[in-house]
Amino acid sequence: MTSASHLPPDLPSGLDAAIIDLDGTLVDTLGDFVAVLGLTLDELGLPRVERAFVERTVGKGSEHLIRQTLAAVGGDPARYELAWAAYQRHYLSINGEFAAVFAGVAEGLQSLRDAGLRLACLTNKPLAFARPLLAAKGLDGYFEFVFGGDSFARKKPDPLPLLETCRALGTLPARTLMVGDSRNDAEAAHAAGCPVALVSYGYNHGEPIRAVPAAAYLDRIGQLLG
């Protein structure tokens, strides 16, 4: 396989592939989450949550986000199923409307492809949301595989999704880079045996990203190739 060169010095050479997160790494979807949660809470007759709460809470899957949101507004946990149904309906109707691709993402993905890396997108977002979003933002063509939070039995930070994505790519974890924006991505990568690079602009549960151990920290994905 062809492998990338000119990687940051802390990253191993001879990489064959990269697994890249979606929310907070490729696309700024915070506006979508805020809008969808607002509509969902309105439907349930509950108060809305602030944008800062959403930014701290996203990243561990939609189910986690909804449960945490219900708890934050004093909603009955038993209303989870109603909230989940409303959330899915509203998300599908506005998916991508309040989202934007981060600067340098398309160019960065193209540079990785040009360097010979095979690419997969791995997100905790449900696959039915992830695929249309990537297509709407013109990013779907860069990836051989797209896997969502419901593609496997467990989600990041469990290593299983990364291991299964490596299996789909036919690459060894040690030669497959994880690119993400949060502790979730880093913990999954470390447990799976994948090197990890973290972007500086995403959603890391309100924590400084450089407090999370990683081989590299990026302001743009294209920095992976110098």
Side-chain angles (χ1 to χ4, degrees):
M1 294 183 184
T2 305
S3 57
S5 58
H6 310 302
L7 290 163
D10 289 337
L11 285 170
S13 59
L15 293 172
D16 296 319
I19 299 171
I20 306 180
D21 177 54
L22 176 51
D23 298 301
T25 303
L26 297 174
V27 183
D28 182 0
T29 50
L30 190 58
D32 278 359
F33 287 118
V34 172
V36 171
L37 283 172
L39 292 169
T40 299
L41 292 168
D42 288 349
E43 186 170 322
L44 296 176
L46 295 169
R48 292 192 172 205
V49 290
E50 295 181 354
R51 185 181 180 92
F53 167 83
V54 181
E55 186 170 5
R56 293 192 305 271
T57 311
V58 295
K60 295 186 177 180
S62 299
E63 297 89 346
H64 173 82
L65 177 61
I66 294 168
R67 293 188 192 281
Q68 292 298 111
T69 299
L70 284 174
V73 300
D76 185 343
R79 303 186 76 188
Y80 169 79
E81 294 298 337
L82 283 175
W84 174 236
Y87 179 89
Q88 289 187 90
R89 187 172 65 256
H90 291 305
Y91 210 115
L92 288 170
S93 70
I94 64 98
N95 192 2
E97 185 176 344
F98 303 98
V101 178
F102 286 110
V105 161
E107 298 86 348
L109 292 176
Q110 187 60 55
S111 70
L112 295 178
R113 287 280 300 271
D114 290 345
L117 289 182
R118 300 175 63 195
L119 302 183
C121 181
L122 174 62
T123 174
N124 278 348
K125 182 188 290 296
L127 191 59
F129 301 164
R131 285 190 182 279
L133 178 62
L134 288 169
K137 300 304 180 184
L139 300 177
D140 53 328
Y142 293 105
F143 298 103
E144 291 184 44
F145 299 99
V146 178
F147 296 117
D150 49 359
S151 295
F152 307 111
R154 297 185 293 279
K155 301 178 177 64
K156 297 177 291 181
D158 192 281
L160 176 68
L162 273 76
L163 294 172
E164 290 298 326
T165 302
C166 288
R167 189 192 309 275
L169 288 164
T171 57
L172 295 173
R175 295 174 65 92
T176 306
L177 177 67
M178 176 73 216
V179 182
D181 70 313
S182 74
R183 182 176 298 278
N184 250 15
D185 299 307
E187 289 180 357
H190 294 320
C194 297
V196 61
L198 296 172
V199 299
S200 61
Y201 49 76
Y203 322 131
N204 185 39
H205 320 298
E207 303 172 10
I209 195 62
R210 284 177 171 79
V212 180
Y217 304 92
L218 314 168
D219 294 324
R220 292 188 177 216
I221 289 176
Q223 288 179 305
L224 283 168
L225 299 178

